Amino acid sequence: MCGILAVLGCADDSQSKRVRVLELSRRLKHRGPDWSGLYQHGDFYLAHQRLAIVDPASGDQPLYNEDKKIVVTVNGEIYNHEELRKLLPNHKFHTGSDCDVIAHLYEEYGDKFLDMLDGMFSFVLLDSRDNSFLVARDAIGITSLYIGWGLDGSIWISSELKGLHDECEHFEAFPPGHLYSSKSGGLKRWYNPPWFSESIPSTPYEPLVLRRAFENAVIKRLMTDVPFGVLLSGGLDSSLVASVTSRYMAGTKAAKQWGSQLHSFCVGLEGSPDLKAAKEVADYLGTVHHEFHFTVQDGIDAIEDVIYHIETYDVTTIRASTPMFLMSRKIKSLGVKMVLSGEGADEIFGGYLYFHKAPNKEEFHRENCRKLKALHQYDCLRANKATSAWGLEARVPFLDKEFLNVAMSIDPEWKLIKPDQGRIEKWIIRRAFDDEERPYLPKHILYRQKEQFSDGVGYSWIDGLKAHAEEHVTDRMMLNADHIFPHNTPTSKEAYYYRMIFERFFPQNSARLTVPGGASVACSTPTAVLWDASWSKNLDPSGRAAIGVHNSAYEKHLANGNLTTSKITDSAPMRDGVGAPGLTIRG
């Protein structure tokens, strides 16, 4: 992932302003350590920190059209750029970068080209002929982006909060699937799929159609000119990503450059069950497998760095981001710059265990839609920023636009969890890859129960974080929490601890408003908490809060007057089962 920063119409074209923009852009250098670029046109500034994945030799940014009147700074990957170039036969491209098509598409189609882009992206485009500009973000919000407004009338755009929070009177997350045009002066939604209205689909389930759509989503993401790999936890979703990648890698350009044997990565405490599961899948697929070990204390020591980079105080996101953050550093040290991850499967198919309690197919589907719409605040934010902190790019095939069209058009009756019929969570994607003749995965991996990332890394990880917070947050502090933090008031010492750190880095009110809140059980939306009356008494983002569903659900044991939980009997993958390594921590 690259870092972009733009200052638009700041009424200051001085050298000191240019120096300040460069200084702020350097705050994003971790995202793009390969090259820095800055374009200035009067009081418009477009800065870029590049992570070179495609055409590393000549694809430095900002990028231009032929006469350099149209300038663009982009973070992302356009997977169909070769097809788009064929639609522009009269245009001359300066680089082989996949993002080079954007300026030229704008020349031909104005702001109507966004739905033509197949990929993940956020960009700022300046038309210097009339000083108009466009800002856009990809459909789901895989890439991070923020917009801010200065007292001088300027508009600021940045990949991360740290690029603009000191300069703007107000700022907020730029909404996914939206376009900002200076000509119209406001935001408009460019991504309008049928599922966004939450109407109930009725397309019959066809396993092979779903399988092929996912295979295509993976294959197109093998576009790279640098070494890459996959994150493998041993859980369902990461294993499917690894299996499909391994199966189709041989004929790709990447294989010709870097070899046809796939590299896979996981992290955990030495001897943890998830490391064992990941290795089993790696051996089955024949990947070059890399295990990284760390201690609970290593994770706790990294919390402040994690909050600074992830830019949230959401409890589950921080719990899950920490091991991914540590793993990303190790991966980058091996010279790898891109990994395939698997965020999104649980939102699309209802993989979180609380979906067992969905009252009907209509509410099941609406919750799928609500989760997808909010994904940019949680798992996309985690995957993007935890990897970008070390100059590593994560690609997420489950969030491919075409795959979403297929998966979200299926009659949700097929997604309902029906244990009496042998249909566990995410049954339809499991069934789609259950091939007896050419198996994608071992059966027990293909039909393994969902485990949220922060649980899958080991229940002792969460317990250790809670114990650490207990040492730093007193009961008296909690009594005053609603006065100190009236917005999204922390309800636990762990949440209070994270909030203190966040506010130290990002003290503005706008910053705290970028973080979502509300009741949740096992990562549900507040609406889904109403599905089970008992959940309102046990609000916790852990999957173990899904009482009566999880194999190791919270169970009350009166032992020496203390409330304890049942022991974990089975290890599993990460929060989303795909995008990161399996990590199990034993206290």
Side-chain angles (χ1 to χ4, degrees):
M1 287 295 173
C2 303
I4 65 173
L5 177 71
V7 186
L8 306 163
C10 61
D12 184 353
D13 60 359
S14 66
Q15 180 64 22
S16 61
K17 187 65 175 183
R18 182 183 178 93
V19 170
R20 179 58 176 161
V21 173
L22 283 168
E23 179 186 338
L24 293 168
S25 178
R26 282 194 287 271
R27 294 184 182 181
L28 307 177
K29 197 170 184 178
H30 53 276
R31 300 181 63 90
D34 297 332
W35 186 256
S36 300
L38 174 63
Y39 171 85
Q40 180 183 357
H41 174 72
D43 60 352
F44 291 82
Y45 301 83
L46 272 64
H48 191 267
Q49 300 288 343
R50 188 185 185 203
L51 178 65
I53 303 289
V54 175
D55 186 23
S58 68
D60 295 337
Q61 296 194 37
L63 298 165
Y64 308 88
N65 69 333
E66 291 89 341
D67 61 7
K68 296 195 173 183
K69 298 293 185 182
I70 299 169
V71 190
V72 62
T73 178
V74 192
N75 170 33
E77 303 292 345
I78 309 301
Y79 302 120
N80 64 335
H81 74 104
E82 293 183 351
E83 290 81 2
L84 292 174
R85 286 171 186 256
K86 294 174 184 177
L87 299 177
L88 302 163
N90 299 321
H91 288 258
K92 180 180 179 180
F93 296 91
H94 296 295
T95 78
S97 167
D98 52 291
C99 295
D100 209 353
V101 296
I102 293 176
H104 302 276
L105 288 169
Y106 171 78
E107 281 191 286
E108 292 291 333
Y109 302 99
D111 64 3
K112 309 300 182 186
F113 69 91
L114 284 165
D115 208 34
M116 299 169 67
L117 301 178
D118 184 3
M120 56 179 180
F121 57 83
S122 49
F123 68 79
V124 180
L125 180 149
L126 174 66
D127 188 340
S128 65
R129 296 171 298 187
D130 59 5
N131 287 349
S132 63
F133 60 87
L134 300 176
V135 185
R137 189 179 183 188
D138 64 65
I140 302 298
I142 300 167
T143 60
S144 58
L145 194 66
Y146 297 87
I147 182 170
W149 293 267
L151 287 173
D152 58 2
S154 60
I155 293 178
W156 292 66
I157 304 294
S158 177
S159 295
E160 296 185 3
L161 283 178
K162 57 184 68 67
L164 54 70
H165 74 105
D166 287 335
E167 305 296 320
C168 297
E169 186 68 13
H170 175 74
F171 52 88
E172 57 193 48
F174 193 97
H178 277 74
L179 164 74
Y180 182 95
S181 169
S182 63
K183 292 180 179 179
S184 62
L187 288 161
K188 66 177 180 180
R189 171 166 283 282
W190 66 264
Y191 179 59
N192 291 287
W195 63 264
F196 206 84
S197 67
E198 302 185 12
S199 58
I200 310 305
S202 57
T203 304
Y205 168 51
E206 297 185 45
L208 292 182
V209 171
L210 186 63
R211 180 200 294 183
R212 190 57 192 161
F214 184 67
E215 288 178 328
N216 288 338
V218 172
I219 291 168
K220 72 177 67 169
R221 282 163 177 77
L222 303 183
M223 176 189 79
T224 178
D225 292 324
V226 298
F228 79 103
V230 296
L231 305 181
L232 179 61
S233 70
L236 171 69
D237 304 337
S238 63
S239 298
L240 282 179
V241 172
S243 178
V244 174
T245 303
S246 181
R247 184 168 294 206
Y248 290 99
M249 185 175 167
T252 65
K253 177 183 173 183
K256 294 176 182 177
Q257 285 184 289
W258 308 107
S260 59
Q261 195 168 21
L262 181 65
H263 288 251
S264 57
F265 307 96
C266 67
V267 63
L269 278 193
E270 191 169 358
S272 67
D274 276 1
L275 291 180
K276 180 180 178 183
K279 188 175 188 309
E280 180 185 0
V281 175
D283 289 345
Y284 182 84
L285 298 176
T287 69
V288 179
H289 192 56
H290 307 267
E291 283 188 4
F292 306 124
H293 303 153
F294 76 98
T295 67
V296 175
Q297 190 61 52
D298 289 335
I300 290 173
D301 290 345
I303 289 294
E304 291 205 11
D305 286 341
V306 168
I307 292 173
Y308 175 75
H309 281 286
I310 308 301
E311 301 180 324
T312 188
Y313 51 82
D314 176 69
V315 170
T316 302
T317 303
I318 294 169
R319 288 175 177 177
S321 295
T322 305
M324 195 172 194
F325 175 85
L326 295 170
M327 174 192 58
S328 296
R329 186 177 192 178
K330 290 284 192 178
I331 292 173
K332 186 61 184 290
S333 73
L334 297 177
V336 172
K337 298 173 77 172
M338 185 272 282
V339 290
L340 269 66
S341 186
E343 282 70 19
D346 292 311
E347 286 74 15
I348 297 167
F349 298 113
Y352 295 110
L353 297 184
Y354 72 87
F355 275 94
H356 281 249
K357 297 294 185 75
N360 51 56
K361 73 174 187 178
E362 291 81 10
E363 189 55 28
F364 192 106
H365 179 73
R366 293 188 189 104
E367 180 70 359
N368 287 151
C369 297
R370 290 189 291 263
K371 290 291 289 181
L372 276 173
K373 291 175 184 178
L375 199 57
H376 67 286
Q377 298 175 302
Y378 297 101
D379 288 21
C380 285
L381 179 142
R382 166 180 57 78
N384 178 279
K385 293 182 180 178
T387 53
S388 293
W390 301 107
L392 181 68
E393 177 173 282
R395 298 181 180 176
V396 284
F398 278 108
L399 296 179
D400 178 80
K401 278 200 304 181
E402 292 304 315
F403 179 71
L404 278 172
N405 289 341
V406 172
M408 292 299 289
S409 68
I410 298 171
D411 187 335
E413 179 69 28
W414 289 99
K415 296 181 182 179
L416 287 175
I417 300 162
K418 298 182 177 181
D420 58 324
Q421 298 179 25
R423 282 166 49 178
I424 63 174
E425 65 277 354
K426 293 187 288 192
W427 177 82
I428 65 170
I429 190 70
R430 300 175 195 268
R431 179 67 186 86
F433 284 90
D434 193 348
D435 189 325
E436 296 288 348
E437 294 185 3
R438 295 186 64 208
Y440 286 80
L441 293 168
K443 286 275 191 180
H444 65 282
I445 297 293
L446 192 60
Y447 289 96
R448 191 181 189 189
Q449 185 185 53
K450 164 67 187 171
E451 192 82 71
Q452 288 167 209
F453 183 17
S454 51
D455 285 338
V457 299
Y459 300 151
S460 297
W461 168 235
I462 295 175
D463 295 339
L465 289 171
K466 290 179 176 179
H468 182 70
E470 188 79 28
E471 296 174 0
H472 291 81
V473 180
T474 66
D475 293 341
R476 184 180 296 275
M477 293 164 71
M478 290 301 298
L479 287 174
N480 296 326
D482 57 339
H483 299 292
I484 302 298
F485 304 116
H487 176 74
N488 283 346
T489 303
T491 57
S492 69
K493 291 185 176 181
E494 184 186 5
Y496 194 109
Y497 178 66
Y498 299 153
R499 185 64 171 273
M500 288 192 299
I501 298 171
F502 178 87
E503 298 263 346
R504 191 167 74 246
F505 291 132
F506 309 105
Q508 299 87 351
N509 187 55
S510 291
R512 62 182 68 98
L513 293 176
T514 64
V515 181
S520 177
V521 62
C523 285
S524 74
T525 66
T527 302
V529 172
L530 303 176
W531 290 353
D532 189 311
S534 67
W535 287 350
S536 63
K537 303 173 184 177
N538 189 42
L539 296 175
D540 190 290
S542 168
R544 290 179 291 167
I547 296 173
V549 176
H550 194 286
N551 288 340
S552 296
Y554 286 131
E555 296 174 5
K556 294 183 178 180
H557 300 288
L558 198 59
N560 299 322
N562 295 322
L563 180 66
T564 63
T565 58
S566 60
K567 278 191 174 182
I568 179 172
T569 56
D570 186 28
S571 167
M574 329 189 355
R575 169 177 179 164
D576 47 58
V578 296
L583 169 72
T584 298
I585 296 175
R586 297 293 186 194

